[in-house]
């Protein structure tokens, strides 16, 4: 498809394929499955318009520390090399699980949907400015995704996400505890080419209430604000994190100890490092302050 002398080549080509096997592998990621679709090329050779619909099924992804059932995905695209627009992108994973300290963390009915995006084939970049994310663990999340120079950058936002259901799902609280409230979440995640992950997040929870099965520990109408930042080196199995938390509204009853947080605000600071292989926690600093009541500071190590 080229021009020679007075000849001009024009194109109108359609191609279809059904259940073609594919595989992909890199230093840290692999994928394999079946792909079907239709591709159409139209126009002069020097300005060829390409469009198509791609469907991926029975696809397994490996190398990311997650055990996932085969996913299904679909996308429509159009454009001229090297820029292509993505439309109606969707993906569904029936189940995915990981392990944390020998405890399974499982999510089901994971769904992602994006109405638009862009791929630069020459620059090997992908941009998805708005992706809707839902699963059994977290709901009502909106994400933006950028892939450039083998670095993945994700921004997450959401309200009423079900964040307060996570402690029970991850077995972080004893059975029977009740948690309720309205949450709002913002987070940025960056995954670079050498398996280093950085996370920055802010969480706000209003009208928070909790109660243990025996009604000995209770809280109501609480306001919580937290900021979490962390860095993980997946190659060396190490995680460092900083956490700050403030509560300045509501009432708490801890057995016979009652606190009105409006009069005695609570602040909490944690700086630490977790070494996964040794199951060892190193605490650089822990500080808890209940204004005009008690202040506590700790540091040290905890061995698993």
């Amino acid at each position: 498809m080229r021009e020679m002398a007075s000849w001009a080549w024009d194109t109108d080509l359609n191609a279809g394929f059904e259940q073609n096997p594919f595989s992909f592998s890199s230093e840290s990621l692999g994928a394999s499955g079946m792909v079907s679709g239709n591709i159409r090329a139209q126009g002069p050779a020097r300005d060829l318009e390409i469009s198509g619909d791609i469907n991926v099924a029975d696809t397994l992804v490996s190398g990311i520390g997650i055990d996932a059932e085969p996913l299904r995905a679909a996308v429509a695209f159009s454009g001229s090399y090297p820029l292509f627009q993505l439309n109606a992108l969707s993906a569904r994973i029936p189940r995915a699980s990981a392990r944390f300290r020998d405890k399974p963390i499982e999510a089901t009915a994971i769904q992602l949907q994006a109405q638009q995006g862009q791929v630069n084939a020459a620059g090997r970049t992908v941009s998805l400015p708005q992706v809707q994310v839902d699963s059994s663990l977290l709901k009502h999340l909106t994400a933006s995704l950028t892939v450039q120079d083998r670095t993945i950058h994700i921004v997450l936002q959401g309200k009423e996400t079900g964040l307060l259901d996570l402690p029970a799902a991850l077995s972080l609280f004893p059975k029977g505890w009740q948690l309720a409230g309205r949450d709002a979440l913002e987070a940025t995640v960056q995954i670079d080419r050498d398996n280093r992950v950085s996370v920055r997040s802010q969480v706000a929870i209003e009208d928070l209430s909790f109660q243990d099965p025996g009604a000995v520990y209770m809280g109501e109408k609480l306001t919580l604000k937290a900021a979490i930042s962390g860095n993980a080196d997946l190659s060396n199995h190490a995680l460092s994190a900083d956490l700050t938390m403030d509560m300045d509204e509501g009432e708490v009853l801890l057995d016979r100890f009652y606190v009105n947080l409006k009069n005695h605000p609570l602040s909490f600071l944690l700086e630490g490092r977790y070494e996964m292989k040794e199951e060892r926690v190193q605490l650089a600093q822990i500080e808890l302050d209940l204004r005009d009541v008690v202040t506590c500071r700790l540091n040290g190590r905890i061995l698993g």
Side-chain angles (χ1 to χ4, degrees):
M1 292 178 284
R2 59 183 181 174
E3 290 190 11
M4 293 190 310
S6 60
W7 288 84
W9 292 85
D10 206 352
T11 305
D12 191 350
L13 174 67
N14 285 277
F17 45 96
E18 186 74 23
Q19 293 292 298
N20 283 13
F22 77 92
S23 64
F24 163 83
S25 64
S26 66
E27 294 179 0
S28 58
L29 183 67
S32 62
M34 308 296 289
V35 59
S36 304
N38 295 280
I39 296 177
R40 185 175 188 180
Q42 289 181 298
R46 64 174 57 183
D47 190 22
L48 199 62
E49 285 285 334
I50 303 173
S51 61
D53 298 282
I54 303 295
N55 292 277
V56 175
D58 302 325
T59 299
L60 293 172
V61 179
S62 60
I64 55 176
I66 297 175
D67 177 25
E69 291 184 357
L71 66 85
R72 302 181 68 89
V75 64
F77 68 92
S78 61
S80 297
Y81 183 86
L83 293 178
F84 296 94
Q85 303 301 317
L86 304 180
N87 301 289
L89 171 66
S90 65
R92 186 179 189 278
I93 305 172
R95 184 194 65 84
S97 64
R99 300 194 71 83
F100 176 72
R101 302 197 69 179
D102 291 330
K103 293 182 179 180
I105 303 172
E106 183 174 286
T108 59
I110 304 167
Q111 298 188 61
L112 297 89
Q113 291 186 322
Q115 295 302 314
Q116 60 182 359
Q118 187 179 78
V119 173
N120 186 326
R124 296 183 179 180
T125 64
V126 178
S127 174
L128 297 171
Q130 189 172 35
V131 183
Q132 301 298 322
V133 183
D134 284 283
S135 73
S136 61
L137 286 183
L138 292 174
K139 303 176 176 64
H140 310 142
L141 286 172
T142 301
S144 66
L145 169 70
T146 304
V147 181
Q148 186 172 13
D149 296 328
R150 293 170 59 189
T151 297
I152 302 172
H153 186 76
I154 302 170
V155 178
L156 283 170
Q157 294 181 320
K159 293 184 178 181
E160 304 285 350
T161 65
L163 187 65
L164 292 176
D165 297 328
L166 276 181
L170 302 181
S171 301
L172 298 178
F173 273 16
K175 291 184 178 180
W177 279 71
Q178 299 177 21
L179 283 173
R182 302 190 307 275
D183 68 85
L185 167 69
E186 294 184 7
T188 61
V189 181
Q190 181 167 304
I191 307 170
D192 64 24
R193 65 179 67 189
D194 54 359
N195 287 328
R196 294 181 183 273
V197 181
S198 64
V199 179
R200 303 290 182 269
S201 65
Q202 292 184 330
V203 177
I205 303 176
E206 296 182 349
D207 201 21
L208 171 64
S209 63
F210 67 87
Q211 181 175 310
D212 76 306
V216 176
Y217 305 103
M218 296 182 290
E220 61 178 17
K221 297 182 179 178
L222 305 171
T223 298
L224 181 150
K225 296 179 181 178
I228 305 168
S229 61
N231 296 283
D233 185 344
L234 301 182
S235 299
N236 295 318
H237 305 282
L239 169 68
S240 61
D242 299 337
L243 164 67
T244 60
M245 182 181 72
D246 296 287
M247 300 177 71
D248 56 9
E249 293 284 346
E251 300 172 289
V252 175
L253 179 65
L254 305 176
D255 198 0
R256 298 181 181 180
F257 184 69
Y258 166 81
V259 178
N260 185 322
L261 292 173
K262 188 171 185 179
N263 299 328
H264 304 283
L266 172 69
S267 62
F268 178 76
L269 168 67
L270 168 67
E271 297 178 5
R273 176 181 174 86
Y274 175 53
E275 297 175 5
M276 303 176 196
K277 284 186 176 180
E278 293 81 7
E279 294 191 348
R280 179 173 59 193
V281 177
Q282 182 172 344
L283 303 175
Q285 182 178 4
I286 294 182
E287 181 175 319
L288 184 148
D289 181 72
L290 188 60
R291 185 185 297 173
D292 299 330
V293 178
V294 64
T295 298
C296 178
R297 295 183 179 90
L298 297 171
N299 59 47
R301 291 185 177 182
I302 301 174
L303 300 178

